[in-house]
Amino acid sequence: MAFSAWLTAHYEEKGPVRWLAFALELVAAVTLFLLMFLTCADVVGRYFFGNSVDGTTELTEIGIAILVFAEMPVITWRGGHVVVDILDKMWGSVALKVLGLLSAFLMSSAMYFLGVRIFELAERSLRRDEITELLEIPVGYIVQYIAVMSWATAALMITYGIYHQIIQNRD
Amino acid sequence: ETVLRVGSWLPPTHAQNAVVWPTWAKWVEEATEGRVKVEMEYGLGHPKTMFELVEDGAVDASFSYHGYVPGRFKLTQGVEQPLMGASAEAASVAHWRVHNKYFAKAQEHDGLEVLALFTHGPGQIHMANPINSLADLKSKKIRLGGGVQGELGKRMDVTAVGAPAPKVYEMMQQGVIDGVFIPMGEQKSLRLKEVAKHVVALPGGMYLGSFAMFISPDFMDGLSEKDREAIRSVSGEKLSAMAGAAWDAADKEGLEAALADGVSVNQVAEDGAMAQEFRDLVKGMDNEWVAHVADRKVDAKAALEELREIARSYGK
Amino acid sequence: MTTALIGFAILLLLIVVVRIPIAFSMGIVGFFGFAAVQGLTFDNIADFNWNSSLSMASKRIVDTAQEYSLSVIPLFILMGNLVTKSGLSQELYRASYAFLGHRKGGLSMATVVACGGFSAICGSSLATSATMAKVAMPPMRKYGYADSLATASIAAGGTLGILIPPSVILVIYGLLTETSIRELFAAGFIPGFLGILLYLAAVRWVVWRNPEAGPCGEKFTWKERLQALNGVWGVLILFTVVMGGIYLGIFTPTEAAGIGAGGAFVIALARRSLSFGSLFDILTDTARTSAMLFAVLIGALIFSNFINRAGLPADLLTFVSGLDVSPMMVIFAILLIYIVLGMVFESLSMLLLTVPIFFPLVQSLGFDLVWFGIVVVVVTEISLITPPVGMNVFVLSAVLPDVKASTIFKGVTPFWCADIFRLLLITLVAQISLFLPELLYR
Ligand code: NA
Ligand code: NA
């Protein structure tokens, strides 16, 4: 089937993680496209029709959060975060692997504990009925989303991320 | 000696940071006989975040604008309603008293101890090009902040453009916006005098903006009963009045700076055409607010009447 | 001061030696540092109230991920990706090559100038570097330029973004110090162009030392050159729309990013260079790069909360005020502090933390605040390419995952030296900054 061939060619991940990566990136891609479209519609509306899209700023803010945190698990498990590699030549490959595992552990822990606090903040915000100014969207939902994606990042990093590091280093 | 950290925003030169906090800091140090020392800290994050940073103890005290957290703060919009016709100082005192009598039980400041409530000076119209009536504002691109400004913009049929206050200068200069609703003090502190050369000052302004200064209950718990009471004795109504007065003074400085820089300021008289136009325009806004806060289960109508009554008779 | 310095040392250790991703290094040190200043010790680890530090860090994550003005990052990167995909950037570089290719390092010079032009409209150094990396890197590689020179021209050229107006940083400096913003904008022009000239000299120096880094091609005839120009209309129209739209006040610089991306999308459609598959690739590639940059920004903000709470800015003021030297030496002491701080700070947080502290002192010494603003911005630019934490360098390593940060830092050294030279000039000759504002407004 053409689509599954495309998916295999595009995603280095294995098994169900490949589908997960595709789903997350699809969310990010659609959001980004809508962000672009929204800004253009707002400007065109304001300039030519004297009427801008209500709540463009709010939707843009929510859009960035969706975009960034949909990608967070993917770039994290792929080891995509920016690293200073000045000393790489000095370290042996075993040492680099150990450092990689240490990083994975620290990153997962950080994302897990922050996720817990972010989720608590989201619940508090929902309890207090905090909404956006114009569209009156409950702010807490987007914060909950960030919390859930932080947990997803932690869980996938400590499992698939480490597996990915090990097979990558073996190649 | 205990250090009380105040997290602040706005430039350090702004009246809130150059006058209000330092004056209160002096009061606190005197009242506690030097046992509590106030220190300022900038750059902690977005102004709206101050409410929660203080609640969770990341900083001990701060201030913020209620309009940054829509939904949570609805009753505080009472003082912002048009046609208050009072200075920031008078409105601030009324704000504090009415809050304690009517609004405090609705728990909008849940998790915080409120030190003071105050308002900025009356919001006015700052334009790149002159206008002769409020009807001229139709379809003009106006930067609107939160709160009652949105409703005003709707009634004036302007094209609303959202942006944080520090962006206003750039947007005015480039012509992305034709004007902005903001207090007179910003002619100086946001340097609008360079780009917004035409100001329409309605009598008593169009609206006010509600702010709170607050402190962490945990921090207060950590103090002795004596010091707690000392801090409270220099806060409340006294602090609210002082803050309002400082913002009034900033407006006066803003007006002077604007005039010195050649900004044309149209001071509309009480019976001027634009003042009448404005009164017609905002008819019924206060009743809409009363209906909007019905779920808070307080007597908002009586509160608003008392608020106006206190503010208008203040100092007379 | 000690706490802050220990924090710095641990951060450098984690980033350089332990090799933890920079976003997480800064976040973790910032988090524990903040907790330590709040009273965390080894004895009370179990019953410490973590909520204040957790909330501080969580709020930075939640707020930064929803910061409207940061929408320029994904949208300008998207524009760069679309321009490249539709073949516009290759044509632009083919034209540049036709005119400049016979000179050693000609394309690098074109890149520096293009970065200067783009930064003039964009106002964000991060967005400039990210966009130009997408546009300039593939063609420069195609013509055999060394990665070190190619990336360094982009990273350095991208720093011009915060000096050539419009500039968010200059507006914020103006508001912090109550200095005229239009004078600051006017003052930024000459130092900005001086920056371009000195970067061009740096390119010359690099190819003089190592001709392989920027090989020269054949000389084109004028007929061939004019033919090559045929392909650049698309890019010219796009940039004119983006630039003209800002200057005519049709949209804000923030919105310009979305308009630029939309325009590039329309051009790519018109040239039939997009399929669903390639559009998906462009969008996901942009999203991945943006997420990496947001992570670094959030980490930097958490770290700056710690440094601020540890009282470093105030301690530095005490230190500088205590120096018994001439006013100009005080300025140099301040600049030295900026260069050191710039090694780990992101430009906006550095400005917010230090300017309110230093400007009253500078003012009391009788210096012009417009001049000081320009000096501060230039030194902040330098910090963007100063190892080990130069934000522009990280932007490039995020955008170009196959180039190592160390390669970029190595390539950037001559540009860094050119910047230091410019800083000296601007500091010692105030007229470079003050000539235009005095002519126009004083
Ligand atoms: Na710029
Ligand atoms: Na730096």
Side-chain angles (χ1 to χ4, degrees):
Chain A
M1 196 194 127
F3 177 71
S4 90
W6 176 86
L7 194 66
T8 315
H10 260 71
Y11 285 90
E12 52 179 75
E13 282 80 9
K14 309 264 187 292
V17 183
R18 178 179 293 152
W19 283 92
L20 183 61
F22 172 70
L24 290 171
E25 295 219 305
L26 186 66
V27 171
V30 170
T31 311
L32 178 59
F33 190 82
L34 290 179
L35 272 184
M36 172 185 90
F37 187 78
L38 180 68
T39 314
C40 293
D42 185 41
V43 170
V44 169
R46 185 173 70 218
Y47 197 70
F48 293 102
F49 305 105
N51 202 343
S52 48
V53 181
D54 271 356
T56 303
T57 312
E58 289 166 17
L59 289 174
T60 304
E61 288 168 354
I62 294 172
I64 316 172
I66 294 178
L67 168 88
V68 168
F69 275 89
E71 282 289 357
M72 202 53 80
V74 183
I75 57 169
T76 309
W77 84 51
R78 284 186 181 171
H81 284 290
V82 182
V83 168
V84 174
D85 47 18
I86 303 175
L87 294 186
D88 276 14
K89 277 191 205 122
M90 211 186 77
W91 293 112
S93 66
V94 176
L96 277 180
K97 199 184 285 183
V98 171
L99 291 181
L101 290 179
L102 176 67
S103 280
F105 172 72
L106 284 175
M107 287 155 80
S108 303
S109 315
M111 292 309 269
Y112 170 74
F113 286 112
L114 286 172
V116 172
R117 185 64 191 154
I118 295 173
F119 198 83
E120 289 166 2
L121 293 177
E123 286 184 315
R124 188 161 83 186
S125 167
L126 287 173
R127 197 172 65 234
R128 289 175 180 162
D129 297 323
E130 292 177 10
I131 49 175
T132 62
E133 175 79 36
L134 283 170
L135 304 176
E136 309 195 341
I137 301 165
V139 177
Y141 291 140
I142 190 73
V143 182
Q144 270 181 345
Y145 164 82
I146 293 175
V148 169
M149 294 311 283
S150 302
W151 283 330
T153 306
L156 285 156
M157 185 65 203
I158 206 73
T159 52
Y160 187 81
I162 286 180
Y163 166 75
H164 174 263
Q165 261 182 24
I166 291 169
I167 57 164
Q168 193 187 35
N169 283 8
R170 203 191 294 147
D171 292 344
Chain B
E1 178 180 285
T2 312
V3 174
L4 194 173
R5 280 181 217 284
V6 171
S8 196
W9 47 282
L10 288 174
T13 45
H14 191 285
Q16 179 67 26
N17 295 319
V19 180
V20 180
W21 284 119
T23 311
W24 183 71
K26 217 174 85 219
W27 291 351
V28 167
E29 277 166 45
E30 279 166 11
T32 60
E33 292 157 333
R35 284 185 301 277
V36 176
K37 196 167 159 285
V38 178
E39 275 181 17
M40 302 282 286
E41 185 173 319
Y42 292 91
L44 273 165
H46 192 282
K48 72 178 173 208
T49 302
M50 295 303 155
F51 290 112
E52 290 185 81
L53 289 182
V54 171
E55 177 174 0
D56 295 335
V59 65
D60 303 323
S62 185
F63 79 108
S64 193
Y65 176 57
H66 291 114
Y68 284 138
V69 192
R72 178 177 178 184
F73 299 108
K74 286 158 77 175
L75 293 170
T76 49
Q77 279 183 19
V79 75
E80 302 188 337
Q81 296 303 313
L83 307 179
M84 171 72 87
S87 65
E89 181 180 351
S92 301
V93 169
H95 199 6
W96 175 258
R97 287 190 200 159
V98 168
H99 169 80
N100 285 306
K101 184 168 169 193
Y102 290 90
F103 297 159
K105 59 173 179 271
Q107 287 291 322
E108 285 188 339
H109 294 84
D110 172 37
L112 299 167
E113 175 169 342
V114 183
L115 289 172
L117 292 168
F118 68 93
T119 76
H120 65 48
Q124 306 289 12
I125 307 169
H126 305 249
M127 304 292 296
N129 294 306
I131 52 166
N132 296 313
S133 73
L134 296 184
D136 288 354
L137 287 173
K138 187 173 164 11
S139 298
K140 289 272 186 310
K141 287 166 288 183
I142 305 288
R143 180 266 177 183
L144 298 177
V148 290
Q149 291 181 52
E151 177 62 23
L152 284 174
K154 226 180 271 170
R155 288 174 180 235
M156 292 174 173
D157 209 5
V158 303
T159 302
V161 180
K167 286 255 173 199
V168 169
Y169 180 96
E170 214 179 327
M171 294 168 78
M172 286 290 293
Q173 194 198 33
Q174 290 165 344
V176 175
I177 51 175
D178 302 308
V180 56
F181 298 167
I182 217 159
M184 196 61 98
E186 307 301 342
Q187 279 282 335
K188 180 160 181 266
S189 51
L190 282 183
R191 307 203 68 80
L192 295 184
K193 58 185 181 158
E194 294 176 13
V195 287
K197 289 287 190 188
H198 301 272
V199 178
V200 174
L202 291 162
M206 297 195 294
Y207 63 91
L208 299 169
S210 170
F211 290 79
M213 292 165 79
F214 40 82
I215 194 164
S216 146
D218 287 344
F219 177 84
M220 289 297 255
D221 285 346
L223 295 177
S224 67
E225 181 61 32
K226 199 172 149 204
D227 287 345
R228 235 185 337 262
E229 283 315 313
I231 290 181
R232 285 179 188 141
S233 73
V234 296
S235 305
E237 186 171 321
K238 179 179 172 175
L239 178 57
S240 304
M242 187 265 283
W247 284 65
D248 277 334
D251 277 4
K252 210 167 141 246
E253 279 180 36
L255 178 62
E256 280 160 14
L259 292 173
D261 237 31
V263 175
S264 87
V265 181
N266 177 2
Q267 302 268 15
V268 181
E270 199 66 56
D271 56 355
M274 267 194 266
Q276 187 53 48
E277 205 182 348
F278 184 72
R279 280 192 288 271
D280 292 340
L281 193 81
V282 299
K283 223 166 244 160
M285 259 178 81
D286 42 4
N287 288 332
E288 277 173 25
W289 170 77
V290 170
H292 178 65
V293 299
D295 62 337
R296 290 292 196 257
K297 314 237 176 327
V298 297
D299 190 351
K301 200 168 167 59
L304 184 61
E305 265 167 40
E306 197 166 326
L307 193 66
R308 287 177 169 163
E309 163 36 53
I310 299 171
R312 285 170 190 162
S313 60
Y314 179 80
K316 275 173 195 155
Chain C
M1 185 104 118
T2 330
T3 319
L5 293 181
I6 294 173
F8 267 103
I10 296 178
L11 177 66
L12 292 186
L13 192 77
L14 290 191
I15 291 178
V16 178
V17 182
V18 191
R19 212 181 177 279
I20 296 170
I22 162 153
F24 288 86
S25 302
M26 291 195 291
I28 289 169
V29 176
F31 174 81
F32 284 104
F34 193 84
V37 186
Q38 292 277 83
L40 173 72
T41 59
F42 285 110
D43 304 327
N44 63 7
I45 264 185
D47 50 359
F48 183 70
N49 177 11
W50 291 97
N51 269 358
S52 62
S53 301
L54 281 170
S55 283
M56 179 277 289
S58 302
K59 276 293 176 184
R60 281 300 195 193
I61 294 175
V62 170
D63 291 349
T64 310
Q66 298 180 75
E67 166 77 46
Y68 175 69
S69 60
L70 291 180
S71 65
V72 295
I73 290 180
L75 290 170
F76 268 132
I77 297 175
L78 177 62
M79 174 177 110
N81 267 335
L82 283 164
V83 162
T84 302
K85 179 67 198 172
S86 58
L88 288 171
S89 63
Q90 286 86 336
E91 285 164 14
L92 187 68
Y93 270 82
R94 197 178 306 141
S96 306
Y97 194 69
F99 282 87
L100 296 166
H102 61 287
R103 292 172 185 275
K104 271 186 243 158
L107 286 186
S108 276
M109 295 188 187
T111 302
V112 168
V113 175
C115 284
F118 186 73
S119 63
I121 58 172
C122 159
S124 152
S125 291
L126 297 193
T128 303
S129 309
T131 311
M132 290 305 294
K134 290 294 184 191
V135 174
M137 203 56 198
M140 279 165 67
R141 275 187 172 158
K142 195 180 135 204
Y143 291 115
Y145 277 59
D147 278 357
S148 57
L149 177 62
T151 50
S153 333
I154 300 166
T159 66
L160 296 167
I162 55 180
L163 189 54
I164 301 176
S167 151
V168 191
I169 297 273
L170 280 177
V171 169
I172 289 173
Y173 176 89
L175 296 179
L176 283 175
T177 59
E178 298 206 321
T179 309
S180 165
I181 295 163
R182 62 181 176 196
E183 286 188 19
L184 283 167
F185 278 6
F189 266 110
I190 297 179
F193 283 106
L194 187 63
I196 296 182
L197 289 180
L198 286 172
Y199 284 163
L200 294 182
V203 175
R204 289 303 292 252
W205 191 82
V206 172
V207 294
W208 174 68
R209 288 292 304 264
N210 175 16
E212 303 286 282
C216 52
E218 290 166 35
K219 195 163 182 170
F220 283 66
T221 65
W222 275 101
K223 194 172 161 220
E224 287 168 320
R225 287 179 178 177
L226 292 179
Q227 266 168 356
L229 270 186
N230 273 336
V232 306
W233 291 117
V235 157
L236 283 185
I237 291 172
L238 184 64
F239 279 68
T240 313
V241 166
V242 171
M243 237 168 144
I246 292 177
Y247 278 106
L248 293 177
I250 298 169
F251 40 74
T252 63
T254 316
E255 291 166 340
I259 300 287
F265 176 68
V266 170
I267 293 176
L269 274 188
R271 297 168 65 122
R272 296 172 196 284
S273 45
L274 278 184
S275 64
F276 266 112
S278 63
L279 179 63
F280 183 78
D281 285 345
I282 289 174
L283 290 169
T284 51
D285 182 89
T286 307
R288 278 193 292 270
T289 311
S290 308
M292 289 175 214
L293 294 180
F294 271 83
V296 176
L297 272 177
I298 291 169
L301 288 169
I302 295 174
F303 184 72
S304 81
N305 271 15
F306 154 55
I307 289 299
N308 199 8
R309 176 59 54 89
L312 184 70
D315 291 342
L316 288 176
L317 179 67
T318 316
F319 166 72
V320 173
S321 324
L323 293 177
D324 185 23
V325 290
S326 70
M328 198 36 112
M329 289 313 287
V330 173
I331 296 286
F332 276 108
I334 294 177
L335 291 183
L336 200 65
I337 290 170
Y338 269 88
I339 291 176
V340 175
L341 288 183
M343 288 167 66
V344 287
F345 272 110
E346 169 272 331
S347 54
L348 184 61
S349 50
M350 185 154 95
L351 201 81
L352 289 174
L353 290 186
T354 54
V355 165
I357 300 274
F358 284 131
F359 94 83
L361 173 69
V362 171
Q363 196 170 25
S364 70
L365 292 174
F367 289 105
D368 188 299
L369 282 184
V370 170
W371 164 82
F372 185 64
I374 300 302
V375 171
V376 164
V377 169
V378 170
V379 80
T380 306
E381 286 180 348
I382 296 178
S383 85
L384 291 171
I385 54 173
T386 304
V389 187
M391 203 57 76
N392 273 23
V393 173
F394 295 134
V395 172
L396 286 195
S397 22
V399 176
L400 310 164
D402 52 334
V403 184
K404 292 181 159 240
S406 48
T407 307
I408 309 175
F409 275 128
K410 211 173 90 199
V412 115
T413 309
F415 294 85
W416 191 83
C417 295
D419 265 344
I420 295 287
F421 177 66
R422 176 166 59 126
L423 180 64
L424 284 176
L425 270 184
I426 291 171
T427 310
L428 294 173
V429 189
Q431 274 302 311
I432 297 176
S433 320
L434 295 179
F435 173 72
L436 278 182
E438 279 175 3
L439 186 75
L440 292 171
Y441 303 120
R442 288 186 182 176

